[in-house]
Every structure is written in C-alpha cells, then in structure tokens.
Amino acid sequence: DQQVKQNSPSLSVQEGRISILNCDYTNSMFDYFLWYKKYPAEGPTFLISISSIKDKNEDGRFTVFLNKSAKHLSLHIVPSQPGDSAVYFCAASAVNTNAGKSTFGDGTTLTVKP
Amino acid sequence: DAGVIQSPRHEVTEMGQEVTLRCKPISGHDYLFWYRQTMMRGLELLIYFNNNVPIDDSGMPEDRFSAKMPNASFSTLKIQPSEPRDSAVYFCASSQQGWGTEAFFGQGTRLTVV
C-alpha cells in the first residue's frame, strides 16, 4: 500500500511559467510534509516543508500548499527556471504521533524548457 | 561540514560476494537512515538509527542485509551474499531530529551485482 503518491511521472513547462507538482497521501496520521529535489547522480536535497497546522508555506520561488481534507499537497514553482529541471519527491511523516515512517512518493521529473 | 559522505560511489560485484557500503553522517546528527532507490520500488527506507541504536529495520528486504552503526560518525550496510536484484542506488541520510525535519542525503552508492 503506497501511502504517498505522485501520480504524474513527468511534467514539462516553459521557462518563466508556473510548475505545479502534486502529491496525494492516504495516511491521515501524517502531519509533516517535505519536498526534495534530486539531480542525476546526486542524493536528494531538501527543498521546502509544511506542517499540518498550516495550509501554505512559501520560500522564494517555491510555495507548498496543503489541503488536509483532500489529503493533497502541491508544490508551485514560479517562475520556473531551466535549473529547476530535476526529479521532485514528496515525503510525509507522522511526527507527533510517531505512527508512521517517513514515506516518499515515486517522484515527478520536471523539465523546464528555455 | 562536508555533508554526508558515502563510499564507494560505484560498486560492481559478482553474485554471491559480500558487499559493504559505508556512510559518515553529518556531525551532530542523531538520526541516520539507509534508503534504496530502484525503478520498480522508488525510494524506500531500509533501516534507521537513533543515537547509534537501530530503531526500525522493517524495511530491510531479507536476512542477507545487515546494518551497523558502531559510533556516531560511521555506519555500514552489508549484503551477504549479494544477488543481481540487489542492484540499486543506496543512499545514506542523516538528520538532527528524525522525522519531520529535513534529512541530508549522501551522493549514493550505485551497486551493480552481475
């Protein structure tokens, strides 16, 4: 049972436009969510996170939105840049209840075209 | 700090041989994680340690896999005997506070078992 799902394996956008990456989860005990970015031949690097007590967190060009009722979160990148081309992983964990391990989605490959 | 250091970066071995992957976490991080990434299963947690003690090894695929953390600055993941289906990229990561906080990943070890 995959508790964190990224249903779009790939996404292609034009430079300067918005990139929206989506993530769905099934475990209602998850209360902390993170996005990681991964370049080829490197390990994932942390990008941005959000606690379940919030519905939005912003860091520069990156904004994460959380919809708890829909068990859905999204990462918005505005404006998109060619250097953003990478694989993006969504991860979720149950920090307060310790009821579940941090679980990663399968990733979405973002390609930003110049 | 140089970040999480993994060695070797690449390992090619014959089926049946013992393989040892090494990891040096970031100094001061109390949590250490071993992940495996494959095309079929994505990024999956194998085991994690807190203060050098294994906490959850339920992700370890079978008894051929073992992990140790003899001190705060070193961990090993051993596969004995190795099989072709063990071929994957193995990541080590560390974090200060475990779940819900960002984890810092090493560059990974690409293991090929022929």
Side-chain angles (χ1 to χ4, degrees):
Chain A
D1 175 33
Q2 191 167 16
Q3 298 187 65
V4 177
K5 293 184 181 180
Q6 295 176 254
N7 291 318
S8 298
S10 62
L11 174 68
S12 181
V13 300
Q14 207 66 37
E15 181 180 6
R17 306 295 291 268
I18 184 172
S19 296
I20 300 177
L21 297 98
N22 295 303
C23 179
D24 297 294
Y25 61 96
T26 57
N27 189 341
S28 58
M29 304 296 265
F30 286 145
D31 52 17
Y32 205 87
F33 306 88
L34 308 95
W35 284 94
Y36 287 84
K37 179 170 71 174
K38 184 183 180 303
Y39 293 118
E42 295 183 11
T45 56
F46 171 76
L47 193 56
I48 192 170
S49 63
I50 188 168
S51 165
S52 60
I53 63 174
K54 295 184 176 182
D55 54 19
K56 176 183 175 181
N57 189 26
E58 192 171 353
D59 183 3
R61 296 186 297 113
F62 302 91
T63 303
V64 56
F65 295 92
L66 176 62
N67 183 333
K68 290 186 289 293
S69 61
K71 295 190 178 67
H72 176 83
L73 64 155
S74 60
L75 175 67
H76 292 210
I77 306 173
V78 182
S80 301
Q81 300 173 354
D84 296 330
S85 297
V87 179
Y88 289 79
F89 290 97
C90 167
S93 60
V95 174
N96 290 327
T97 62
N98 198 29
K101 295 179 287 191
S102 186
T103 305
F104 282 76
D106 287 341
T108 296
T109 300
L110 173 65
T111 302
V112 180
K113 298 178 180 179
Chain B
D1 202 311
V4 176
I5 300 173
Q6 290 186 247
S7 63
R9 289 294 309 277
H10 303 274
E11 177 78 37
V12 180
T13 190
E14 291 185 346
M15 181 174 63
Q17 296 297 306
E18 176 180 298
V19 175
T20 300
L21 312 181
R22 297 172 176 79
C23 174
K24 181 181 187 302
I26 292 174
S27 176
H29 283 190
D30 292 333
Y31 288 80
L32 183 139
F33 309 87
W34 281 101
Y35 287 89
R36 178 172 68 174
Q37 185 181 27
T38 61
M39 289 293 291
M40 293 295 292
R41 300 176 68 87
L43 195 62
E44 54 180 339
L45 177 68
L46 301 178
I47 184 172
Y48 80 94
F49 296 82
N50 179 23
N51 292 322
N52 313 339
V53 176
I55 302 300
D56 187 342
D57 65 353
S58 59
M60 297 284 260
E62 43 196 282
D63 293 344
R64 297 184 297 106
F65 286 70
S66 63
K68 295 181 180 179
M69 192 166 185
N71 56 62
S73 59
F74 183 67
S75 177
T76 59
L77 178 67
K78 185 178 293 185
I79 308 172
Q80 164 65 14
S82 58
E83 297 182 3
R85 59 193 168 118
D86 301 331
S87 298
V89 181
Y90 292 80
F91 290 104
C92 175
S94 69
S95 70
Q96 282 186 309
Q97 296 175 358
W99 306 126
T101 59
E102 63 172 296
F104 293 81
F105 284 75
Q107 291 187 298
T109 295
R110 180 173 292 277
L111 173 65
T112 303
V113 183
V114 298

